[in-house]
Amino acid sequence: IKLKSFEKRACAGFDICAAVSEDDLKALKALSPDANLVVIPNGVDTGYFAPDDTPSLPNSLIWVGGMNSIYNREAVDFFIEEILPLIQKEIPGVTFTVVGKSPTKKLLHIAKTNKNIEIVGYVEDVRPYICKAAVYIAPIKSGGGTKLKVLNALSLAKPVVTTSVGAEGIEVKDNKHLVIADDPGLFAKRTIELLKEPENAAKLGENGRRLMVEKYDWGIIGEKMNRIYEKLLNSKC
């Protein structure tokens, strides 16, 4: 995208400009080198998205995200077409639940021919669906910013398998807080491992939950924002 010169300098016209990740900050810095930029990450309400004692169903996978987004449609199509068949070869009874508004005709048709795929559509509260799933998948291939769906799943202590794009902007370590895999074969392999090793999956989920509580709770992020505002106001006095 070619930006006009005044658009490139837009951030420099403000006392401070916030990005939600280091990657986004670098992109803004390239467009507006003179801008005063800080990172204020996206967060999660760890009190609302808190794990409960709901037992997870063996060999169950879940995706949460509306199909009105091209990035979400791309992710689900990628999973169903290139990853899920590999998992089904190893675990024929694996189930895949899709939660989110505006499921496509293509997705609804696939679900009619595959009894192990369930299309739930829009729900008021996604937590019960996520809590009962064994593994949360986020095979996101494109898009910017931090993926709130990944933060929510981590906060619910779910083992998450995602891509480099899905983990972007979150201070996670592969194999500690979640699993990162971009290749379809590796994505399937790592998902199968978590399904077959529930104890390791639970440990991964616990680590992810701890990270959300310690670094990504909205209360902690709000305190950081307040410190930035206070510093800015004091500099104007």
Side-chain angles (χ1 to χ4, degrees), residues 25-219:
L25 183 144
K26 291 176 183 176
L28 287 173
K29 194 69 175 177
L31 293 172
S32 189
D34 298 327
N36 180 20
L37 301 171
V38 296
V39 174
I40 300 178
N42 278 321
V44 57
D45 184 341
T46 59
Y48 183 81
F49 288 99
D52 58 22
D53 57 359
T54 301
S56 60
L57 300 174
N59 298 330
S60 59
L61 307 173
I62 191 168
W63 156 275
V64 175
M67 296 295 103
N68 54 322
S69 161
I70 187 173
Y71 306 116
N72 289 347
R73 293 197 299 272
E74 177 187 51
V76 173
D77 286 347
F78 171 54
F79 182 76
I80 289 178
E81 294 169 4
E82 300 187 41
I83 301 173
L84 185 58
L86 300 177
I87 299 174
Q88 288 176 318
K89 285 182 180 179
E90 186 73 20
I91 307 176
V94 67
T95 62
F96 178 44
T97 300
V98 179
V99 178
K101 64 181 179 180
S102 305
T104 62
K105 291 182 179 178
K106 175 182 177 181
L107 189 57
L108 293 170
H109 175 72
I110 292 173
K112 286 182 179 180
T113 60
N114 189 329
K115 62 182 178 60
N116 289 346
I117 297 178
E118 179 187 13
I119 310 301
V120 175
Y122 173 80
V123 296
E124 290 286 344
D125 187 355
V126 300
R127 294 173 298 173
Y129 295 90
I130 298 174
C131 285
K132 69 180 182 180
V135 175
Y136 186 103
I137 59 103
I140 302 164
K141 298 185 69 176
S142 57
T146 310
K147 309 306 180 289
L148 296 178
K149 57 173 64 66
V150 174
L151 294 174
N152 293 342
L154 290 172
S155 186
L156 284 167
K158 282 288 118 178
V160 174
V161 184
T162 189
T163 59
S164 299
V165 175
E168 186 177 292
I170 313 173
E171 293 183 29
V172 289
K173 292 183 179 180
D174 185 22
N175 297 324
K176 180 178 180 180
H177 303 109
L178 47 63
V179 169
I180 299 174
D182 295 318
D183 175 76
L186 183 58
F187 198 109
K189 179 177 181 292
R190 302 306 305 279
T191 303
I192 291 167
E193 290 172 351
L194 290 175
L195 291 174
K196 289 189 172 183
E197 302 169 7
E199 290 185 2
N200 290 338
K203 184 176 180 180
L204 194 74
E206 290 169 3
N207 290 340
R209 166 69 182 178
R210 188 176 302 111
L211 179 67
M212 295 301 102
V213 171
E214 293 176 353
K215 288 192 174 183
Y216 290 93
D217 182 84
W218 280 123

